[in-house]
Amino acid sequence: MPSFDEVLKEAGEFGRFQKRVFFLLCQTGITFSFLFASVVFLGTVPDNYWCRIPGAADLSEKCGWTLEEEQNFTVLPLLLVNGSSGGHCERLDVTWDAATGCASPLTHHLDGRVGSPPLITCQDSWVYRQPHASIVSEYNLVCGRAWMLDLSQAILNLGFLAGAFTLGYAADRYGRILIYLLSCLGVGICGVIVAFAPNFTLFLIFRFLQGVFGKGTWMTCYVIVTEIVGSDQRFVGIAIQIFFTLGIIILPGIAYLVPTWQGIQLAISLPNFLFLLYYWVVPESPRWLLTRKEGEKALKIMHDIAKHNGKYLSPHYSEITVSNMEVTNPSFLDLVKTPWMRRNTLILMYAWFTSALIYQGLVMRLGIVGGNLYLDFFISGAVELPAALIILITIDRIGRRLPFAISNIVAGIACLITAFLPEDIPWFKTTVATLGRLGITIAFEIVYLVNSELYPTTLRNFGVSLCSSLCDLGGIIAPFLLFRLAAIWLELPLIIFSVLAAVCGILVLLLPETKGIPLPETVEDVEQLSGHYCKCGKKRKHQNTNSYI
């Protein structure tokens, strides 16, 4: 009875069928990147807004004031008398009523008073020139409520974390394509509800759910693609990241053409409904079907794959076996029980956390540094395209470990230099910051590959899921760290990023090199590999050179 890998080799390991499915499913990376980075455009802070004095709306209508005239009457006294910063977070402690005159509305209230007019903190009476341009103006996320913008992104990442565990488990139990389609439907529906949420509470609830389903689409498309290709086609795990970058490049164009945040939200959510058409063109993973003892369905799909690839399966293929090692409910203790497993696990968890925090921090930073947001975002996204090419060129020539370390160190140095460059040379500052973005992108993409190669077959899925959950934790912390520290000093987050990246670059040098070696099958293999590499400074020679899993 042939194994699945033997049948796949005869049907074609990366033929026309796999290329078609790869291209279709990778479109999910574009929409997932929309969701991942959309807060930069959904949450732009308006330039012109002020706190409205009670009764100002009625008086403005009575007197026929324009918004500029009302702003002058409201804010100008603050600027002249108190030196206030534009009346964003405070207002004069007065109320305009029917007795207030149109020519000098403050004269009646300030007559006879000594000293500066009394001030009061603004609560919920802000006026915006563009009231629906972003969620900031829609839900008054300014002044004392500014931290709620951080919360909106943290909630999304919390959804990613929940989706990684719940939908990851569901995909293993109920099937890849079913969970993929349900996740696409969920992202689309929740995205539409987010666009029309009447209050910020509902906005957060459905943004969380959109994160849950969004992570489901990304994970399952990644798994399906990798499970229908041969074991030598590991490059698909890197190539799929290119589509995520394409989404980053396209997003500023959408935001530029669509004037309101609701329109942007709909534009990035509705395409998910188109993926439901994949029901008719993307089959279930035959590897998964074999684990569920559905060999006939798997064999039928393999015949279809062979047909589309212009090949023909031998008629004696009536059954297929799959080599699965018995796994007994793996736990976190299995990942830290032995010395080298423990070291690898802790370093990988830190690498996931650091990569996500710095990457998302640098993306969101573009929304607060000024300049042309759309152009800067496009350029910073375009520079990510060479990342996959650099990885593909280097990992099979000089290995994984050195590029992994260098990319982190380059990102750290670039962030540190950017923080201290003067503002009067913006082109140079942008160039250095872009180099940091490229470095952390390479590190982020390599950690996917290294994580899967450093765990044994018996713990690989569980280990990758657990370590990558630190990615979502980094995403939860990133907005709070960025926006709150930037309020102290705009470049302070870059200092933190540089330290985290440099430490990560040093730590990953302690990992063993996995270039050209078979994937480990057991914990003992990992211990021997890591221990021998540490002592000799080079890859150990594995006795079984054909045991790729």
Side-chain angles (χ1 to χ4, degrees), residues 414-429:
C415 286
L416 186 63
I417 294 175
T418 302
F420 293 101
L421 285 176
E423 297 293 338
D424 56 357
I425 46 174
W427 66 269
F428 186 57
K429 189 162 188 169

Side-chain angles (χ1 to χ4, degrees), residues 349-425:
M349 292 174 74
Y350 180 79
W352 275 107
F353 173 81
T354 302
S355 297
L357 190 150
I358 297 175
Y359 179 85
Q360 194 161 147
L362 291 178
V363 169
M364 292 188 296
R365 182 177 178 271
L366 293 171
I368 63 175
V369 295
N372 189 321
L373 174 60
Y374 305 101
L375 180 60
D376 291 346
F377 198 94
F378 172 82
I379 293 174
S380 66
V383 78
E384 291 184 15
L385 284 177
L389 180 60
I390 292 173
I391 294 171
L392 292 174
I393 291 174
T394 58
I395 60 174
D396 285 331
R397 288 176 170 80
I398 63 176
R400 280 74 158 141
R401 198 180 62 145
L402 196 57
F404 197 6
I406 291 175
S407 60
N408 274 290
I409 293 173
V410 167
I413 294 174
C415 286
L416 186 63
I417 294 175
T418 302
F420 293 101
L421 285 176
E423 297 293 338
D424 56 357
I425 46 174

Side-chain angles (χ1 to χ4, degrees), residues 32 36 215 218-219 222 234 236-238 240-241 244 348 351-352 355-356 391 400 404 441-455 460 464 468 471-472:
F32 181 70
F36 184 87
K215 193 60 176 280
W218 178 242
M219 286 192 313
Y222 190 93
R234 294 186 192 176
V236 298
I238 300 298
I240 198 171
Q241 306 293 328
F244 182 94
L348 287 169
W352 275 107
S355 297
I391 294 171
R400 280 74 158 141
F404 197 6
T441 299
I442 294 174
F444 208 170
E445 295 182 4
I446 291 180
V447 73
Y448 275 92
L449 179 63
V450 172
N451 201 161
S452 64
E453 291 182 333
L454 279 178
Y455 279 119
R460 186 168 297 124
V464 172
S468 63
C471 163
D472 299 315

Side-chain angles (χ1 to χ4, degrees), residues 55 70 76 159 167 178 210 251 258 335 362 406 428 436 454 461 467 480-481 534:
E70 182 188 332
L76 192 58
L167 295 182
L178 173 63
Q210 197 175 18
L251 182 59
V258 181
L335 304 181
L362 291 178
I406 291 175
F428 186 57
L454 279 178
N461 289 341
C467 290
F480 292 103
L481 187 148
C534 179

